[in-house]
Amino acid sequence: MTVAVNANHPYTPAFKAGDTVYVSGALGVDVDYQPVAGRDDALDAAVERMTERLATAGAALDDVVKLTYYVTDLSLREEANRQLERIFAAPRPARTFLEVSALPYGATVEIDAVAYVGDRG
C-alpha cells in the first residue's frame, strides 16, 4: 500500500491500494487554492489537480477508470462531457455527475477519481 502525503491536507489526496489508486477532492482551484474563474477553466483546473495527485501515487490520466464530478452548477454537464471527450480516449472512464450547494475554497468543481495501474491484458 502506498500513501501520497501532503502536509497541507488532513486527508490523503492520493492513496494506492494494490493496483488501484484513489484520488480525493481535486478542486477547480489554482496552486494557491484560489477558485479558477470560467466554466471550462475551472473544469480543466480540477483535472490538473487530479493529474498531479495521480502522479504522486504512480498513476496517470490513462489509468483512470471512474470519475465523480461535484459541481455547484448542474449546467456544467455539457462542458464536462466535452472535456471527457477531449482528454480521454474511448472507452472513457465511468462517470457520476452531482450538483452540490458549495465546495471548499469557493471552487465550482471537484473531482474524485479511481485509477487502475495493474495489468490490463
Side-chain angles (χ1 to χ4, degrees), residues 32-107:
D32 296 319
Y33 289 90
Q34 297 302 306
V36 172
R39 296 166 65 89
D40 289 323
D41 291 341
L43 287 162
D44 288 344
V47 168
E48 187 175 336
R49 301 289 81 75
M50 179 183 63
T51 302
E52 293 164 355
R53 290 177 179 198
L54 285 164
T56 67
L61 280 179
D62 289 345
D63 300 316
V64 173
V65 295
K66 171 69 170 84
L67 297 165
T68 303
Y69 280 70
Y70 303 92
V71 297
T72 57
D73 181 350
L74 200 56
S75 73
L76 282 168
R77 185 173 178 271
E78 290 308 313
E79 285 93 336
N81 286 342
R82 285 193 301 272
Q83 181 189 60
L84 280 175
E85 291 172 345
R86 184 172 31 95
I87 64 174
F88 291 104
R92 292 178 183 86
R95 184 194 73 185
T96 302
F97 199 82
L98 304 165
E99 184 177 37
V100 297
S101 62
L103 290 167
Y105 305 104

Side-chain angles (χ1 to χ4, degrees), residues 105-116:
Y105 305 104
T108 58
V109 179
E110 180 174 354
I111 303 173
D112 288 350
V114 178
Y116 180 74

